[in-house]
């Protein structure tokens, strides 16, 4: 009975968070607008030199995606914390880790997935070849869920604290560095004409580990925050 209950609760959390987000579309659009503005301004400031644009494109695109994810992490648990929904989740018969995973999936659908879909079109400004666009999409498709899962840990640790945005940044950025390195390397290697299998595989391994451990670590931190 626990497996069907957990699966139903998982889907219920995703549907609930998506419905709530659609009522406050400005919050969803903030991170997307930030991503588009940052990526679009760099070519204007650097110039139209193709070789330079191709060289800096992987880092710029991935850093912009990372920051866009980071600035929206506060809303992951804050609203539920203020209205008492988190306390109801703690009392739910479904495993808390499963419910947290549902919230992270909903957050990624609203933030990470749109960033991933937008990135190849924005990357055209940097004159990247098709192979690099494929690598960029694949790396973001694997990397942005890892950012969301790790970000959930930081968001739970700083929940209810004053100036939690600064503390959240200090806690999460070191965890984001490996994702940034392998994601950037995948696009950079593809631009040079080499295979990206190693970097993509490492991102996939990081996603599996984060999906397994992060929800339970987040659940433990939320229980401490609500005590």
């Amino acid at each position: 009975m626990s497996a069907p209950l957990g699966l139903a609760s998982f889907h219920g959390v995703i549907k609930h968070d998506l419905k709530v987000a659609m009522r406050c579309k400005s919050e969803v659009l903030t991170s997307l607008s930030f991503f588009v503005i940052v990526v679009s301004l760099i070519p204007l400031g650097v110039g139209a030199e193709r070789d330079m644009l191709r060289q800096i494109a992987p880092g710029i695109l991935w850093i912009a995606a990372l920051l866009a994810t980071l600035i929206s992490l506060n809303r992951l648990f804050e609203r539920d914390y203020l209205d008492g929904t988190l306390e109801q989740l703690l009392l739910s018969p479904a495993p808390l880790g499963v419910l947290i995973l549902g919230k992270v999936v909903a957050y990624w659908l609203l933030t990470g997935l749109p960033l991933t879909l937008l990135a190849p079109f924005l990357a055209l400004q940097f004159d990247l070849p098709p192979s690099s666009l494929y690598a960029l999409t694949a790396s973001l498709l694997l990397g942005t869920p890892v950012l969301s899962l790790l970000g959930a840990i930081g968001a739970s640790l700083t929940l209810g604290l004053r100036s939690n945005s600064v503390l959240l940044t200090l806690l999460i950025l070191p965890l984001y560095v490996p994702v940034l390195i392998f994601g950037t390397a995948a696009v950079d290697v593809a631009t040079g004409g080499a295979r990206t299998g190693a970097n993509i595989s490492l991102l996939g391994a990081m996603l599996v580990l984060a999906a397994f451990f992060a929800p339970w670590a987040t659940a433990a931190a939320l229980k401490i925050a609500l005590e």
Side-chain angles (χ1 to χ4, degrees):
M1 293 296 292
S2 60
L5 174 62
L7 186 60
S9 301
F10 174 76
H11 290 153
V13 169
I14 294 176
K15 291 179 180 178
H16 172 267
D17 283 11
L18 291 178
K19 288 180 180 179
V20 171
M22 290 300 100
R23 298 172 188 169
C24 303
K25 296 180 181 179
S26 59
E27 296 182 3
V28 178
L29 293 175
T30 298
S31 58
L32 297 180
S33 300
F34 176 87
F35 180 66
V36 172
I37 291 171
V38 171
V39 174
S40 299
L41 286 178
I42 298 300
L44 296 177
V46 173
E49 181 62 35
R50 290 187 176 182
D51 292 338
M52 180 179 295
L53 288 176
R54 289 183 176 181
Q55 185 175 3
I56 66 174
I60 295 300
L61 289 163
W62 255 99
I63 289 175
L66 185 152
L67 294 177
T69 301
L70 185 61
I71 64 174
S72 59
L73 277 177
N74 284 335
R75 75 168 188 262
L76 185 55
F77 299 118
E78 186 175 8
R79 183 183 289 109
D80 292 338
Y81 174 72
L82 295 176
D83 64 15
T85 302
L86 279 181
E87 295 179 357
Q88 297 299 318
L89 292 180
L90 288 177
L91 298 175
S92 172
L96 183 57
V98 174
L99 301 179
I100 297 302
L101 182 60
K103 292 189 68 64
V104 174
V105 169
Y107 172 79
W108 178 78
L109 290 174
L110 294 166
T111 305
L113 183 59
L115 292 179
T116 302
L117 297 177
L118 276 174
F121 298 99
L122 296 175
L124 294 175
Q125 302 174 88
F126 297 87
D127 196 35
L128 289 179
S131 59
S132 297
L133 298 180
Y134 297 141
L136 174 65
T137 304
S139 63
L140 287 174
L141 195 60
L142 294 173
T144 50
V146 180
L147 299 181
S148 300
L149 288 162
L150 296 178
I153 300 176
S156 61
L157 289 173
T158 59
L159 188 64
L161 300 178
R162 294 182 178 179
S163 303
N164 60 348
S165 297
V166 176
L167 184 58
L168 176 60
T169 302
L170 294 176
L171 285 174
I172 292 303
L173 277 181
L175 300 177
Y176 278 1
V177 170
V179 184
L180 176 64
I181 291 174
F182 293 123
T184 303
V187 186
D188 194 30
V189 168
T191 303
R195 295 182 178 180
T196 62
N199 293 297
I200 296 298
S201 298
L202 286 170
L203 287 173
M206 293 175 66
L207 176 57
V208 172
L209 291 173
F212 185 78
F213 290 107
W216 305 106
T218 304
L222 287 177
K223 290 180 180 179
I224 295 174
L226 292 175
E227 288 182 353

